[in-house]
């Protein structure tokens, strides 16, 4: 079982996007606010695309008898991310919501034993399934903050 704050963030954190993005024109969503960095739209696409990646990781860990070795995820070469980048924002948000429901169902099905199983993350080392779930929501929070900053950045004169 997840501790209540982690469960709550998994269940609701992504819902902030609707409020952060409210009223932004499409031109702002697609603009590279920082040259060479993802636009707001691409950031949202990343959040939708990463969910099935983590879902597969969570399942692999829960089904394993030893630590699972994770490979680094690179969004720019992920076919699903690239596909999402070509869709309008409402479709991407719908995909994000559907993916989140699947992650929530997965997390609810894990046992205490599953949460203790481990993986080796390429940057952060030895993590339990519970810690990887924490990592997932913190990673998402980082992108939500980046989206918030880009949405509210004052235009330069």
């Amino acid at each position: 079982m997840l501790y209540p704050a982690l469960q709550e963030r998994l269940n609701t954190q992504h819902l902030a996007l609707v409020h952060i993005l409210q009223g932004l024109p499409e031109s702002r969503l697609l603009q590279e606010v920082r040259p060479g960095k993802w636009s707001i739209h691409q950031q949202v696409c990343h959040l939708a695309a990463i969910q099935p990646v983590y879902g597969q990781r969570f399942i692999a860990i829960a089904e394993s008898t030893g630590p699972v070795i994770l490979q680094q995820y690179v969004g720019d070469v992920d076919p699903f991310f690239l596909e999402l980048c070509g869709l309008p924002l409402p479709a991407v948000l719908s995909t994000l919501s559907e993916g989140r429901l699947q992650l929530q169902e997965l997390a609810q099905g894990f046992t205490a034993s599953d949460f203790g199983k481990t993986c080796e993350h390429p940057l952060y080392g030895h993590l339990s399934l519970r810690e990887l779930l924490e990592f997932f929501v913190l990673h998402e929070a980082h992108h939500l903050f980046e989206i918030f900053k880009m949405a509210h950045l004052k235009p330069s004169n």
Side-chain angles (χ1 to χ4, degrees):
M1 175 166 232
L2 296 179
Y3 64 92
L6 179 54
Q7 184 69 59
E8 185 65 22
R9 287 180 291 142
L10 180 65
N11 290 347
T12 64
Q13 177 173 265
H14 67 290
L15 299 174
L17 269 175
V18 173
H19 302 286
I20 294 170
L21 302 176
Q22 190 171 13
L24 286 179
E26 186 172 355
S27 60
R28 182 63 179 234
L29 295 172
L30 299 174
Q31 176 187 10
E32 264 189 20
V33 176
R34 285 174 261 143
K37 299 292 184 179
W38 284 343
S39 67
I40 291 172
H41 187 265
Q42 289 169 312
Q43 292 269 354
V44 177
C45 292
H46 172 67
L47 292 178
I50 198 80
Q51 290 184 132
V53 171
Y54 274 87
Q56 291 168 356
R57 290 175 174 187
F58 299 152
I59 291 168
I61 294 166
E63 292 177 349
S64 75
T65 56
V68 172
I69 308 299
L70 302 180
Q71 301 300 313
Q72 185 172 1
Y73 172 83
V74 180
D76 290 325
V77 298
D78 176 1
F80 187 46
F81 168 75
L82 297 171
E83 176 186 333
L84 289 170
C85 286
L87 297 177
L89 184 64
V92 177
L93 291 172
S94 177
T95 300
L96 180 79
S97 294
E98 291 167 10
R100 183 50 57 91
L101 288 174
Q102 292 172 355
L103 286 181
Q104 291 165 350
E105 288 175 13
L106 268 178
Q108 290 172 354
F110 293 139
T111 65
S113 173
D114 292 336
F115 283 120
K117 293 182 178 182
T118 61
C119 68
E120 288 294 325
H121 189 279
L123 295 175
Y124 304 109
H126 196 73
L127 300 173
S128 69
L129 176 55
R130 182 175 286 111
E131 289 171 324
L132 191 63
L133 271 156
E134 182 75 52
F135 177 88
F136 169 79
V137 295
L138 291 171
H139 172 258
E140 180 181 68
H142 160 75
H143 284 281
L144 290 172
F145 184 48
E146 290 300 312
I147 292 166
F148 180 88
K149 291 189 303 185
M150 291 188 319
H152 292 87
L153 191 64
K154 290 182 181 180
S156 58
N157 293 335

